[in-house]
Amino acid sequence: FICGLENESVYDMDEDDDNEDDDTDEEADQDSRGAFAGFVLMSKGSWDKAQFIQDMKAKWDITVEEDEDGGNRDDAVVFEVGGMIAAVSLMPYPIPDGEAELNAENNYMWPEAVDAAKTHKAQITVAVMGNDAGLKERGELYVKLAACCCRQKRATGIYTSGTVFEPSFFYKFAGMMKDGEFPIFNLIWFGLYRSERGVCGYTYGMECFGKDEMEVLDADAEPSDVQGFLSSMAAYVIEYDVTLNDGETIGFSADDKHAITRSEGAALPGMTLKIEY
C-alpha cells in the first residue's frame, strides 16, 4: 500500500479548524478502543466448560489456568494469557430487547441468521481485558476464545461486530491465524448495500483498534469486489497500525490512488473515512 497527501497545504489548514471536533472524536475513540467482547448465542442455558478448556489447548496450544479469584465456577472461566485477562461466562438468559435478532438482519451471507438468533435462550459472553498487550494481540486472543465457544454443542450463532455470524463461519476464518494471517473477517464486519448510483460498503469494528470506520459509496462494481477492497484496506490499517487522514490517498501501487475524505458517515453514525473506489 502507498499513502500520500493530495494537497498538503489545504490539509494543514483544515486540521487547525477542526481541533475542537477532533477532541470529541478522540473521547469517543477511547471508549471503543480495545473493547473486544462478543456473545455466543446458546439454545440452552448450559455449556461444556471442560470442552472449552480442551479446545483452547488443542486448537491454540493455550493452557487455561483459572484465576483463583474466579472461584473455579462451573459457569465461568477467567485466566491470564500474555498479560491479557480472558473472561468467558455463561449467562442463562437471552440478549434483551431483541438486539441480536435485529443485528442479525445485517448478515447478507447467512440467510438463517435471524432465525438462529431468535432461538437462543442463553449466551456465553467473551471478553479480553488488559493494557499490557497491543490491540492486535488482544483482538486475536478474543477470536481464539470466541472460536472455541463456537464449538459448543448448543451454539446457534455469535453476536459480534454488529451482526450475528454462523458459528462454523467464525471458527473457519479464525483458522487464518494458523497460517500467520490476521483474522480480519472475525473482527470486522463488511456491510454492503445498494444505492441508486451503485454499490456501497462499510466497516464495523475498526474503532476497537482506535481507527476510523471506512466506507465506499456508489461504486460501479460487484459487491464482492467492494468487500474485497474494504477488507484489504482494513487489514492493512490494522496490521501496520496506519492512521489514514482526510486529504490523503491510498493505493496498491504508485499508479493506484484512492482519495480519502473524512466526513459524517453515510451508513454509520459519527465520522468515517470515505475511500474512493
Side-chain angles (χ1 to χ4, degrees):
F1 280 88
I2 297 175
C3 297
L5 283 176
E6 279 294 296
N7 191 329
E8 188 170 356
S9 61
V10 172
Y11 173 80
D12 290 340
M13 183 170 62
D14 288 346
E15 186 176 33
D16 292 336
D17 292 339
D18 292 339
N19 281 343
E20 186 174 343
D21 291 338
D22 288 343
D23 290 342
T24 302
D25 291 340
E26 286 177 8
E27 290 177 5
D29 289 344
Q30 289 289 347
D31 292 338
S32 301
R33 187 182 294 121
F36 296 105
F39 313 89
V40 178
L41 310 181
M42 304 288 286
S43 61
K44 286 188 177 182
S46 62
W47 76 317
D48 189 335
K49 179 178 175 179
Q51 180 191 332
F52 169 77
I53 293 173
Q54 292 169 6
D55 287 342
M56 286 296 294
K57 181 63 177 178
K59 180 70 174 177
W60 307 114
D61 196 26
I62 293 177
T63 301
V64 176
E65 296 181 354
E66 294 189 74
D67 189 333
E68 292 182 1
D69 293 336
N72 295 326
R73 293 162 38 190
D74 291 336
D75 60 352
V77 56
V78 179
F79 60 102
E80 183 178 350
V81 182
M84 299 171 281
I85 301 299
V88 181
S89 306
L90 176 69
M91 303 295 180
Y93 47 81
I95 296 173
D97 302 325
E99 182 180 330
E101 294 90 321
L102 180 63
N103 284 275
E105 295 176 2
N106 297 328
N107 194 339
Y108 52 86
M109 295 188 295
W110 187 26
E112 295 81 17
V114 174
D115 290 338
K118 287 179 178 178
T119 64
H120 87 283
K121 301 293 189 296
Q123 56 183 293
I124 298 175
T125 64
V126 181
V128 173
M129 297 159 283
N131 296 321
D132 293 337
L135 293 172
K136 184 169 173 282
E137 289 71 26
R138 278 185 264 173
E140 289 177 331
L141 177 59
Y142 164 70
V143 172
K144 292 175 180 178
L145 297 168
C148 286
C149 288
C150 284
R151 284 180 50 81
Q152 290 286 313
K153 181 178 179 180
R154 297 184 175 90
T156 64
I158 172 167
Y159 174 34
T160 186
S161 300
T163 192
V164 173
F165 292 93
E166 187 174 10
S168 60
F169 173 96
F170 195 93
Y171 185 80
K172 174 184 175 182
F173 278 92
M176 294 172 64
M177 288 184 284
K178 289 284 190 177
D179 299 321
E181 298 181 52
F182 184 71
I184 190 70
F185 292 103
N186 299 83
L187 289 161
I188 308 296
W189 172 245
F190 299 98
L192 294 171
Y193 63 98
R194 287 191 180 274
S195 69
E196 293 181 357
R197 291 180 288 182
V199 175
C200 305
Y202 62 90
T203 65
Y204 188 102
M206 297 295 291
E207 288 187 349
C208 288
F209 296 92
K211 307 297 182 184
D212 284 330
E213 303 293 353
M214 293 185 253
E215 294 187 89
V216 167
L217 302 178
D218 306 324
D220 182 14
E222 293 296 321
S224 59
D225 293 334
V226 173
Q227 184 196 57
F229 177 79
L230 276 173
S231 64
S232 295
M233 294 288 179
Y236 166 71
V237 166
I238 293 171
E239 290 190 71
Y240 295 96
D241 193 20
V242 174
T243 298
L244 303 180
N245 299 294
D246 183 70
E248 294 179 344
T249 62
I250 188 171
F252 297 93
S253 68
D255 298 326
D256 179 46
K257 292 186 177 182
H258 304 270
I260 301 169
T261 303
R262 190 173 190 269
S263 61
E264 189 68 28
L268 300 168
M271 303 294 282
T272 66
L273 299 175
K274 315 301 183 300
I275 312 295
E276 181 183 51
Y277 186 80

